[in-house]
């Protein structure tokens, strides 16, 4: 028989530790699945771990042992309750035996032998109860133990008889994905019951909150199984709008069930983030997360120090878009985003660019970010925050002064080999942001802007200087006279020499 699960309930850490170390639980046929500090905490852990035996104190805050035993007797009659008592509260224990308490242990006289004797007494009652339980329920309990790692033995022959299929699939989810795990557990069970109407199945829920269904199918049924599962989900109204399940590939040998379970559990981690509108995903369609490259923090911080805030925001926006395109792990994505905006908010607030309302709102940004369940929610939050920041900054910064410095630099160095990359590095603007400035304000690329400036300088030199064409070509940044002449004719409509003659009135 699989080990029986035991939950300890006592508000004193020393008592819990003493009981935990009093006997060798595993060798005695028991497994400690949890420790609760009061009755309310115990009820939560009972839902989570489904213990066979609850070992509880009487005097505790919030919900005492007598109240707890009343609730267990009513809602979990299969659970055996053993009370830890002191001499002072013996009358309380005595009056609560009607609630199904197996026995009590006096704390001052607690020994390994007395504890083990009462545990075995409880185990005998549980065996008697389990002997009357439906064989499928017994098999489900055994599967829970097996997948939870509490036992390495499993009767696969009985499982094969129950499922009677030629192939098998695992349907998997985790209750930890949901904000209302206990309610979702009930609704998922309803979903599994619908599937059981059409297929041979056996469900499981492990002590780690893994929940799933092992499904036996014929060769022909395996092809359309995912479509069937999606259809059945559509018939239900879940308390949370986006349930998420993953479906394993089919396998023929039942002894592979634990291997398939562990593979599916690992592959499913953090996947729901990118599958907002897909309730059942085949394992083969799960995303293989790429390792995202680190953000260029030194450059970003340099832009902030130089008050090129919009350039820094543009850099951050491009980086986060790239991470989303390459489907990096949601954990990595949120960590990078949190760091970027933390630095940005701090600098802007310190420099008085954020009004009071925005400063208050930004305090909730990190919390909202961490609670984003899906990529769509993440993108919307980041986009709205960036738009709000850009609106605030556009009303606060003097862009003309900043960009005039750039234009003055180009005017003074137009004959040199200036590139947009060099300008972005010198003035701490992102390449894309600087490029968009020229497109927006001059309806031209930076290269076109520089070319137009050089042609205007060439026209001035052709009109007002005695320099020959080669000297003029070199003076405006062209090393090759033929290429200069070609560009000049294309832009101005005539050759440099003809332009000079026409300007001088010569024919």
């Amino acid at each position: 028989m699989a080990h029986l699960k035991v939950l300890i309930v006592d508000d004193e850490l020393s008592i819990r530790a003493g009981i935990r170390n009093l006997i060798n639980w595993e060798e005695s046929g028991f497994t400690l699945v949890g420790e609760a500090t009061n009755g309310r905490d115990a009820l939560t852990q009972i839902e989570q771990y489904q213990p066979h035996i609850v070992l509880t104190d009487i005097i505790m805050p919030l919900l005492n042992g007598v109240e707890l035993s009343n609730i267990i007797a009513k809602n979990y009659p299969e659970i055996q309750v053993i009370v830890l008592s002191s001499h002072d509260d013996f009358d309380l224990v005595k009056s609560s035996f009607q609630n199904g308490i197996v026995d009590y242990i006096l704390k001052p006289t607690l020994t390994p032998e007395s504890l083990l004797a009462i545990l075995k007494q409880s185990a005998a009652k549980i065996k008697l109860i389990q002997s009357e339980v439906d064989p499928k329920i017994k098999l489900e309990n055994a599967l829970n133990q097996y997948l939870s790692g509490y036992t390495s033995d499993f009767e696969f022959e009985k499982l094969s008889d129950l499922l009677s299929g030629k192939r098998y699939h695992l349907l998997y989810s985790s209750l930890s994905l949901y904000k209302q795990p206990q309610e979702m557990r009930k609704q998922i069970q309803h979903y599994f019951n619908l599937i059981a109407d059409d297929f041979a199945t056996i469900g499981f829920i492990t002590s780690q909150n893994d929940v799933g269904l092992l499904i036996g199918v014929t060769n022909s049924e395996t092809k359309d199984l995912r479509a069937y599962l999606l259809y059945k989900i559509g018939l239900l109204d879940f308390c949370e709008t986006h349930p998420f399940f993953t479906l394993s590939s089919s396998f023929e040998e039942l002894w592979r069930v634990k291997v398939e379970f562990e593979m599916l559990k690992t592959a499913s981690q953090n996947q729901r983030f990118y599958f907002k509108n897909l309730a059942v995903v085949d394992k083969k369609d799960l995303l293989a997360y790429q390792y995202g490259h680190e953000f260029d923090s030194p450059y970003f911080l340099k832009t902030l120090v130089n008050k090129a805030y919009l350039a820094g925001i543009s850099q951050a926006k491009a980086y986060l878009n790239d991470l989303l395109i390459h489907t990096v792990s949601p954990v990595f994505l949120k960590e990078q985003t949190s760091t970027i905006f933390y630095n940005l908010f701090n600098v802007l607030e310190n420099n008085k660019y954020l009004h009071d309302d925005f400063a208050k709102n930004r305090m909730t940004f990190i919390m909202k970010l961490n609670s984003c369940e899906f990529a769509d929610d993440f993108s919307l939050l980041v986009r709205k925050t960036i738009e709000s920041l850009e609106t605030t900054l556009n009303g606060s910064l003097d862009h003309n002064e900043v960009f005039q410095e750039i234009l003055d630099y180009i005017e003074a160095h137009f004959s040199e080999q200036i590139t947009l990359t060099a300008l972005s590095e010198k003035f701490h603007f992102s390449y894309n942001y600087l490029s968009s400035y020229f497109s927006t304000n001059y309806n031209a690329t930076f290269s076109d802007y520089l070319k137009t400036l050089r042609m205007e300088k060439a026209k001035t030199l052709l009109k007002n200087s005695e320099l020959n064409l080669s000297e003029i070509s070199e003076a405006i940044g062209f090393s090759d006279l033929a290429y200069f002449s070609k560009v000049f004719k294309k832009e101005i409509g005539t050759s440099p020499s003809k332009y000079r003659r026409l300007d001088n009135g010569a024919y």
Side-chain angles (χ1 to χ4, degrees):
M1 180 181 171
H3 285 190
L4 297 179
K5 295 181 288 184
V6 179
L7 174 68
I8 299 175
V9 189
D10 198 298
D11 59 330
E12 294 186 44
L13 176 61
S14 60
I15 297 294
R16 298 199 306 272
I19 296 172
R20 187 192 321 130
N21 297 311
L22 195 59
I23 62 173
N24 189 319
W25 293 87
E26 295 295 327
E27 286 187 4
S28 302
F30 302 92
T31 297
L32 277 178
V33 292
E35 297 180 17
T37 58
N38 57 66
R40 288 186 187 175
D41 186 17
L43 290 174
T44 300
Q45 295 198 39
I46 286 171
E47 278 287 321
Q48 182 176 0
Y49 298 125
Q50 297 182 306
H52 299 96
I53 301 171
V54 171
L55 196 60
T56 181
D57 188 15
I58 285 290
I59 306 300
M60 296 181 295
L62 300 180
L63 190 72
N64 67 40
V66 174
E67 294 167 330
L68 174 62
S69 66
N70 288 337
I71 295 172
I72 292 176
K74 180 179 178 181
N75 298 326
Y76 310 96
E78 72 282 2
I79 295 178
Q80 303 296 294
V81 179
I82 300 172
V83 166
L84 296 169
S85 171
S86 66
H87 292 293
D88 293 338
D89 52 44
F90 178 71
D91 288 338
L92 278 174
V93 178
K94 197 164 129 182
S95 66
S96 63
F97 266 88
Q98 60 186 354
N99 295 323
I101 292 176
V102 176
D103 211 334
Y104 68 92
I105 303 174
L106 294 175
K107 291 181 183 179
T109 62
L110 183 62
T111 65
E113 293 75 19
S114 62
L115 175 59
L116 195 53
I118 290 179
L119 287 171
K120 288 182 176 179
Q121 182 182 338
S122 297
K125 288 193 175 185
I126 291 169
K127 288 180 182 180
L128 183 62
I129 294 171
Q130 289 183 337
S131 67
E132 302 170 359
V133 173
D134 182 286
K136 183 176 180 180
I137 295 177
K138 292 174 69 174
L139 200 56
E140 285 180 345
N141 291 335
L143 183 60
N144 291 340
Q145 295 284 314
Y146 180 62
L147 295 180
S148 297
Y150 295 137
T151 178
S152 58
D153 298 323
F154 191 79
E155 297 177 290
F156 291 106
E157 297 80 6
K158 291 184 178 180
L159 190 58
S160 178
D161 293 341
L162 174 68
L163 296 177
S164 64
K166 294 185 177 179
R167 306 189 73 84
Y168 308 96
H169 286 268
L170 270 175
L171 183 65
Y172 172 85
S173 188
S174 173
L175 294 177
S176 61
L177 293 174
Y178 309 114
K179 296 176 181 177
Q180 303 177 66
Q182 298 310 321
E183 187 61 30
M184 279 297 289
R185 176 182 172 181
K186 296 174 186 176
Q187 294 177 348
I188 288 171
Q189 185 59 57
H190 184 200
Y191 173 49
F192 289 171
N193 290 340
L194 288 180
I195 299 170
D197 291 339
D198 300 311
F199 290 93
T201 68
I202 182 169
F204 62 85
I205 177 166
T206 72
S207 59
Q208 292 82 39
N209 280 329
D210 308 300
V211 60
L213 200 65
L214 179 59
I215 308 171
V217 296
T218 63
N219 288 333
S220 60
E221 289 170 332
T222 191
K223 181 175 64 174
D224 301 319
L225 182 59
R226 179 175 166 275
Y228 165 86
L229 295 172
L230 283 170
Y231 167 72
K232 286 293 186 180
I233 276 187
L235 300 177
L236 298 175
D237 185 18
F238 285 91
C239 64
E240 299 198 22
T241 53
H242 300 285
F244 181 70
F245 296 86
T246 48
L247 182 65
S248 75
S249 303
S250 66
F251 54 98
E252 296 181 358
E253 299 88 2
L254 274 173
W255 62 265
R256 287 189 55 81
V257 64
K258 189 168 186 179
V259 175
E260 295 290 339
F261 163 74
E262 290 175 344
M263 290 172 57
L264 196 59
K265 178 178 179 177
T266 300
S268 300
Q269 288 181 357
N270 297 317
Q271 292 284 328
R272 183 173 178 247
F273 185 77
Y274 289 104
F275 290 99
K276 182 175 183 178
N277 298 312
L278 200 55
V280 181
V281 180
D282 280 326
K283 179 177 177 292
K284 62 181 176 59
D285 295 326
L286 294 175
L287 301 171
Y289 289 139
Q290 301 182 38
Y291 181 76
H293 60 282
E294 294 288 339
F295 185 56
D296 188 355
S297 295
Y299 181 82
F300 178 66
L301 294 174
K302 190 184 292 183
T303 64
L304 299 185
V305 168
N306 287 279
K307 299 187 177 181
Y309 304 125
L310 291 173
I313 290 174
S314 181
Q315 177 199 357
K317 186 163 40 174
Y319 172 73
L320 295 176
N321 284 337
D322 185 64
L323 292 186
L324 283 171
I325 290 170
H326 290 89
T327 57
V328 299
S329 162
V331 175
F332 180 80
L333 178 66
K334 291 180 180 181
E335 285 176 349
Q336 293 295 302
T337 306
S338 178
T339 301
I340 290 169
F341 278 89
Y342 178 83
N343 289 325
L344 181 59
F345 282 134
N346 276 349
V347 170
L348 291 176
E349 189 173 1
N350 289 337
N351 286 282
K352 311 300 182 185
Y353 283 108
L354 297 182
H355 52 73
D356 291 341
D357 289 343
F358 196 96
K360 291 177 182 176
N361 291 337
R362 66 93 177 169
M363 294 177 67
T364 64
F365 174 80
I366 302 301
M367 290 187 292
K368 287 182 177 179
L369 175 70
N370 290 331
S371 65
C372 282
E373 294 184 79
F374 302 101
D376 289 351
D377 304 331
F378 168 88
S379 298
L380 181 63
L381 174 64
V382 171
R383 178 171 59 79
K384 285 188 173 182
T385 303
I386 286 177
E387 288 175 356
S388 182
L389 283 171
E390 288 176 334
T391 299
T392 300
L393 291 171
N394 280 326
S396 305
L397 297 175
D398 186 354
H399 296 290
N400 292 331
E401 181 180 340
V402 177
F403 283 107
Q404 190 57 52
E405 290 183 26
I406 297 175
L407 298 179
D408 290 345
Y409 180 85
I410 297 172
E411 178 78 22
H413 299 271
F414 70 89
S415 62
E416 301 172 11
Q417 297 305 308
I418 305 176
T419 66
L420 193 60
T421 299
L423 284 177
S424 66
E425 290 177 354
K426 180 173 180 61
F427 290 94
H428 309 297
F429 276 84
S430 77
Y431 181 95
N432 292 332
Y433 186 72
L434 204 53
S435 176
S436 68
Y437 170 80
F438 284 98
S439 299
T440 301
N441 291 276
Y442 297 98
N443 196 30
T445 65
F446 166 73
S447 296
D448 289 338
Y449 176 87
L450 181 61
K451 181 169 59 179
T452 299
L453 176 62
R454 285 173 169 174
M455 292 303 103
E456 291 301 315
K457 296 295 183 183
K459 286 163 63 177
T460 300
L461 292 173
L462 286 168
K463 289 178 182 180
N464 303 321
S465 77
E466 299 297 325
L467 297 174
N468 61 42
L469 295 185
S470 294
E471 291 171 329
I472 291 174
S473 171
E474 185 174 348
I476 64 168
F478 286 84
S479 58
D480 182 77
L481 175 60
Y483 182 62
F484 161 64
S485 299
K486 180 179 178 181
V487 172
F488 189 93
K489 185 173 183 179
K490 180 179 179 181
E491 296 297 315
I492 307 304
T494 185
S495 67
S497 55
K498 189 172 183 180
Y499 180 86
R500 172 172 267 179
R501 288 198 305 271
L502 289 171
D503 185 71
N504 292 333
Y507 295 94

